[in-house]
Amino acid sequence: MNNFDYYNPTRVIFGKDSYNRISEQISEVTKDKKILITYGGGSIKKNGVYDSVIKSLAGYEVFEFSGIEPNPEYNTLMKAVDMVKKENITFVLAVGGGSVIDGTKFIVAASKYEGNPWDVLTQKEGCKFTEAIPFGTVLTLPATGSEMNSGAVISRSELKEKRTMGGPMTFPTFSFLDPTVVSTLPERQIANGITDAFMHTLEQYLTYPSDNLLQERIAEGILSTLIEIAPEVMRDPSNYKAASNLMWCATMALNGTLRAGVAYDWSTHMIGHELTALHDIDHARTLAIVAPNLYKVKFENKKEKLNQYGQRVWGLQENCGEQAIEKTRSFFESLGIKTKISDYTSEFSESPSIIKDRFEERNWDGIGERGDLTPSEAQKIVELSI
Ligand code: NZQ
Ligand code: ZN
């Protein structure tokens, strides 16, 4: 088994009717009674989450920053940074999905940063977030795992860029996970959530055989559970059993557990982020587009694990790697997710070469679990995905 360093300081408070414990959790972090809540385009006002959260914050002076968009925008978030500095905010509560939580991670880190925060996202030499204001989350969309990890993905559409950040200071101190929020999610977001959680698991599993037998079985458990509950949660999002399993799978898929002691890939995400930046395709959908073709192009690298995945997760017979890829694609399609770029846009002709050039500019000349996926292969994967 590979050596590993496993750290996760986020307290998870899971279940129904728990928001009355939010102020108790904040008071463990700060005695200051002034806080900022961040949220998106208003879904929390329609489904009652906003009212419950505000009720739980009685006795606090609450500032609000709304309008964090899906694929959170750098320029929007910088307005929140100004507000945090002006009002001397010492705690932030993010109420929303991955975009609001990711945006909040950027806000809390950029508020403590002296230089130009964009340099951190482009990983300019020597530019790093090293401090952050503490924050907690109330999750409204199970998908990204952002509620229990320290990563964030920030977009800057004027530059058609989508960049990642992270570090030990951007773990939430607590996260409230109430699966009843799933009942108000549009079908599109539930399908996205299932797909994103599925792909987070595959990125840390479909590599090469490891000696960490437990981690492999945990990954297969998450994949099998998602396949089992997907039809029910799509049909009836108010089914608590299905919704709570989706929520816990999504958190477990990206809270650091799966990566302990194994190889991981992430190249589907790296290519997928470019498709969002160029064409504004939902994050999860970019993964469903890229993954099957990436597995074809890197088949030799991944064939043992594809075979194991096909047998253990899909119940196929020996030598089933190619069939396992097709099963994966049809699983996404069964959720209503289209798996070709041309299903989303007609302006794709330049995309493969643009993505190749961007990978070259960033010196991403060997990504994936073996560090051997080249910019030309990324281009080929995108061509196959059209
Ligand atoms: O903005 P509001 O009005 O809240 O509406 C949102 C948004 O339109 C809506 N929504 C959320 N909860 C709802 C709801 N609508 C009804 N009822 C509810 N309970 O759903 C829409 C999408 O929300 P968003 O937060 O964008 O979705 P998701 O959670 O899928 O997050 C996607 C973002 O996370 C990043 C992605 O790149 C993308 O920017 N990721 C973050 C990761 C991380 N931090 O670890 C890893 C992922 O791989 C991913 O890259
Ligand atoms: Zn993802």
Side-chain angles (χ1 to χ4, degrees):
M1 196 185 295
N2 299 347
N3 292 358
F4 60 86
D5 178 337
Y6 179 72
Y7 171 70
N8 196 309
T10 302
R11 178 191 292 266
V12 171
I13 299 176
F14 192 100
K16 292 178 196 173
D17 303 326
S18 51
Y19 295 164
N20 55 359
R21 292 182 55 199
I22 294 174
S23 59
E24 154 209 307
Q25 288 304 309
I26 298 174
S27 67
E28 302 226 336
V29 185
T30 173
K31 297 297 166 218
D32 194 355
K33 290 288 179 189
K34 195 158 135 178
I35 68 158
L36 171 69
I37 66 167
T38 50
Y39 56 98
S43 67
I44 62 165
K45 291 211 166 158
K46 292 194 198 117
N47 61 14
V49 170
Y50 174 86
D51 288 341
S52 318
V53 168
I54 291 293
K55 194 168 153 212
S56 75
L57 294 173
Y60 281 86
E61 186 184 358
V62 180
F63 292 79
E64 294 187 19
F65 186 85
S66 62
I68 298 180
E69 49 284 270
N71 306 310
E73 278 289 337
Y74 179 80
N75 291 337
T76 306
L77 302 171
M78 286 307 292
K79 292 183 191 145
V81 169
D82 290 344
M83 187 169 178
V84 166
K85 287 183 177 165
K86 181 163 165 258
E87 303 297 344
N88 287 319
I89 300 290
T90 56
F91 191 86
V92 184
L93 182 66
V95 187
S99 294
V100 170
I101 300 175
D102 281 13
T104 302
K105 289 175 181 175
F106 175 82
I107 295 165
V108 295
S111 299
K112 290 281 187 184
Y113 188 71
E114 298 295 332
N116 178 356
W118 185 246
D119 292 343
V120 177
L121 292 163
T122 58
Q123 287 162 22
K124 194 171 156 187
E125 198 72 50
C127 295
K128 257 194 192 149
F129 291 133
T130 50
E131 254 191 287
I133 294 168
F135 72 104
T137 87
V138 174
L139 179 69
T140 65
L141 197 176
T144 63
S146 189
E147 65 280 5
M148 201 180 171
N149 69 40
S150 64
V153 195
I154 306 302
S155 296
R156 197 162 179 185
S157 54
E158 61 195 328
L159 307 178
K160 290 203 177 294
E161 290 270 16
K162 189 169 188 194
R163 295 302 193 105
T164 54
M165 56 167 273
M169 71 290 154
T170 46
F171 280 101
T173 53
F174 60 77
S175 283
F176 282 80
L177 276 57
D178 176 349
T180 62
V181 296
V182 174
S183 67
T184 64
L185 279 171
E187 217 175 76
R188 164 177 169 184
Q189 299 304 339
I190 299 177
N192 284 354
I194 296 167
T195 302
D196 200 18
F198 202 86
M199 281 309 309
H200 292 160
T201 310
L202 287 184
E203 294 270 36
Q204 300 166 92
Y205 168 80
L206 263 188
T207 55
Y208 47 78
S210 80
D211 291 340
N212 197 335
L213 307 182
L214 175 62
Q215 246 58 11
E216 299 210 349
R217 294 279 186 191
I218 298 174
E220 288 154 2
I222 294 174
L223 297 169
S224 304
T225 307
L226 288 169
I227 293 166
E228 184 178 335
I229 56 100
E232 185 55 31
V233 76
M234 291 293 292
R235 196 186 64 77
D236 177 13
S238 63
N239 178 319
Y240 190 78
K241 180 176 170 185
S244 52
N245 276 286
L246 168 58
M247 194 167 252
W248 189 228
C249 280
T251 302
M252 282 295 291
L254 200 52
N255 66 359
T257 305
L258 294 184
R259 63 180 278 164
V262 301
Y264 35 88
D265 183 350
W266 295 114
S267 35
T268 296
H269 271 71
M270 292 165 91
I271 300 172
H273 287 161
E274 298 307 316
L275 293 180
T276 300
L278 291 171
H279 303 299
D280 204 22
I281 303 173
D282 288 355
H283 169 66
R285 287 162 201 254
T286 67
L287 308 176
I289 292 167
V290 172
N293 299 310
L294 187 139
Y295 299 150
K296 280 185 194 154
V297 170
K298 300 308 274 182
F299 192 82
E300 271 311 299
N301 275 0
K302 294 180 182 288
K303 63 185 178 198
E304 286 99 344
K305 284 306 276 288
L306 276 165
N307 197 32
Q308 177 179 324
Y309 163 62
Q311 291 183 64
R312 291 195 190 170
V313 174
W314 291 109
L316 301 169
Q317 304 296 314
E318 272 291 337
N319 299 320
C320 56
E322 284 172 21
Q323 267 175 291
I325 297 174
E326 274 324 300
K327 280 275 186 194
T328 311
R329 184 197 297 279
S330 35
F331 176 57
F332 298 145
E333 296 268 358
S334 78
L335 305 172
I337 293 207
K338 300 278 182 221
T339 53
K340 286 191 193 140
I341 298 172
S342 51
D343 293 319
Y344 299 87
T345 174
S346 53
E347 293 179 7
F348 46 70
S349 59
E350 308 286 307
S351 310
S353 61
I354 294 176
I355 292 175
K356 173 179 179 259
D357 292 347
R358 287 183 162 195
F359 276 35
E360 279 171 352
E361 277 158 29
R362 296 175 197 160
N363 296 320
W364 292 357
D365 38 19
I367 60 170
E369 70 274 15
R370 296 179 205 247
D372 66 355
L373 194 158
T374 62
S376 302
E377 282 177 316
Q379 177 175 14
K380 185 168 169 201
I381 291 162
V382 181
E383 277 162 4
L384 288 173
S385 304
I386 285 171

